[in-house]
Amino acid sequence: MLIVIALGGNAIQSSDRRGVEDQWRAVSNAMASVSEVIAEGHSVVLTHGNGPQVGFLLEAFDSLPMTEPRPTLDLAVAMTQGWIGFMMAHALERELTKRGVRKRAVVVPTRVIVNSDDPQGWKPTKPIGRSYTREEAEVLSKRMGWIFKEDPRGGYRRVVPSPMPVKILEVDTISALLQGGFVPIAAGGGGIPLARSNGELRPVEAVVDKDLASSLLAVELRADKFVVLTDVGGVAINYKRLGETWLRRASTKELRKLYEEGQFPPGSMGPKVLSCIKFVEATGKECAIGHLEDAYRVIKGEAGTTIGE
Ligand code: ADP
Ligand code: MG
């Protein structure tokens, strides 16, 4: 069976566990579960988020003197693919070795073509990085052309578009790696977004949702299962409200209805649910959403929420 497994950026590095040691621990625990699955003979492709990590890098760049040029967003995403990809590859190989499996992981810096025709996707809506004062925001918007929006929690945050992914450029490379017996780690942070302009593919100042990019990759690879690992035990109805109910199983039809009722906010559970619906509808196979710490059981369908037709 070919299983595409997406790891949440927040699950790797939450705001209260920011240290490098904490990241290694979270990644190693997840890779221990993944290695169990590989040891059973399954093929696996890993993807990961990067929200907290890309925010951290942008913050670090901003502490440079104003006279220093800042790396662009596509470069920051590429850096997080190396950063998190390396941690996953290193931890996974160690866990595989413990289980007597001789397989290598390969990090694939991944580019994603985004839909440039959908005006909705080009609205700068997704806040990234930290909050700035009005003065700082004015300087940066003049210098860098960044767009800022007032943050309800105070200050101003940079907002970027989050267009829909339409094609993963490295899909053939990833297939070839699978054929060769490697474990590809790809589409980190949703991939580096590219759009066609004047007949050429160029990086754009946007971010792609990692769940949507991972689902697209899973469909393009014709995976048998798509698994989304995050920092909650699955999909809940009335999340954190009266009558909170965790779903063990759901059909795409049920989920679509709940999605339209606004049960799953954009930017967190919304894209995960949508990604699963897309995968199940395109392939007829199952998807699972659950906690990173239960990775093995979620992959097996024994924990979390399983979504089928
Ligand atoms: P990741 O980094 O894994 O992508 P996100 O923060 O984007 O994580 O999404 C996971 C979060 O979604 C959970 O921490 C939870 O707070 C939130 N969430 C919102 N609505 C729901 C819901 N209906 N059921 C479960 N979790 C939800
Ligand atoms: Mg997310």
Side-chain angles (χ1 to χ4, degrees):
M1 206 154 95
L2 171 61
I3 312 172
V4 172
I5 307 172
L7 260 68
N10 289 304
I12 300 169
Q13 182 190 20
S14 65
S15 47
D16 58 337
R17 293 177 306 151
R18 288 172 61 96
V20 170
E21 285 310 316
D22 295 317
Q23 292 174 44
W24 275 117
R25 202 171 307 121
V27 170
S28 296
N29 286 340
M31 291 306 110
S33 299
V34 170
S35 69
E36 294 283 344
V37 174
I38 295 172
E40 288 174 6
H42 298 295
S43 294
V44 167
V45 174
L46 293 165
T47 72
H48 62 84
N50 71 346
Q53 294 80 8
V54 88
F56 172 85
L57 282 182
L58 294 172
E59 216 177 306
F61 297 152
D62 286 342
S63 63
L64 291 168
M66 279 295 192
T67 48
E68 288 296 321
R70 264 86 175 141
T72 46
L73 190 51
D74 52 316
L75 296 179
V77 172
M79 288 177 208
T80 64
Q81 292 186 343
W83 164 1
I84 305 163
F86 150 67
M87 291 183 107
M88 288 166 68
H90 190 66
L92 179 63
E93 287 183 1
R94 193 182 49 216
E95 294 300 327
L96 286 171
T97 305
K98 274 191 208 165
R99 289 164 182 82
V101 180
R102 290 166 56 98
K103 259 182 180 271
R104 294 239 157 239
V106 181
V107 183
V108 183
T110 309
R111 296 159 295 172
V112 177
I113 303 177
V114 296
N115 182 353
S116 15
D117 303 326
D118 169 25
Q120 200 58 35
W122 287 97
K123 286 189 186 151
T125 50
K126 191 167 172 70
I128 56 166
R130 70 171 168 100
S131 189
Y132 295 88
T133 64
R134 179 191 281 273
E135 292 71 31
E136 285 173 319
E138 272 168 10
V139 171
L140 284 166
S141 89
K142 269 209 199 87
R143 255 181 67 87
M144 310 294 293
W146 290 356
I147 298 165
F148 286 86
K149 266 203 186 130
E150 206 166 344
D151 184 352
R153 284 166 296 189
Y156 292 78
R157 284 186 80 196
R158 182 179 177 200
V159 283
V160 294
S162 189
M164 286 296 280
V166 292
K167 185 164 176 40
I168 312 274
L169 242 66
E170 278 73 19
V171 70
D172 293 338
T173 312
I174 296 163
S175 286
L177 287 169
L178 282 170
Q179 289 290 319
F182 296 97
V183 183
I185 300 171
I192 302 159
L194 304 180
R196 207 167 288 282
S197 100
N198 297 328
E200 210 185 312
L201 283 173
R202 289 170 200 270
V204 284
E205 287 283 288
V207 290
V208 180
D209 182 87
K210 78 97 178 26
D211 297 312
L212 292 172
S214 304
S215 156
L216 177 63
L217 178 63
V219 171
E220 288 186 331
L221 290 172
R222 296 175 212 289
D224 300 295
K225 185 155 194 173
F226 176 44
V227 179
V228 182
L229 299 175
T230 181
D231 60 357
V232 276
V235 182
I237 311 177
N238 300 321
Y239 179 64
K240 285 200 168 154
R241 286 189 308 234
L242 200 65
E244 182 184 81
T245 313
W246 292 88
L247 303 173
R248 272 293 291 126
R249 247 202 106 82
S251 69
T252 52
K253 209 172 142 210
E254 280 169 80
L255 276 187
R256 217 175 250 292
K257 188 161 165 284
L258 294 166
Y259 186 89
E260 278 153 19
E261 285 171 21
Q263 289 278 351
F264 315 121
S268 64
M269 194 44 76
K272 292 186 204 310
V273 167
L274 194 60
S275 302
C276 278
I277 294 174
K278 281 173 180 274
F279 175 75
V280 174
E281 285 180 353
T283 61
K285 305 277 171 61
E286 287 183 344
C287 174
I289 301 176
H291 206 294
L292 190 70
E293 283 167 10
D294 294 331
Y296 183 78
R297 292 175 56 236
V298 177
I299 297 164
K300 293 266 142 181
E302 292 160 9
T305 306
T306 296
I307 297 136
E309 280 182 311

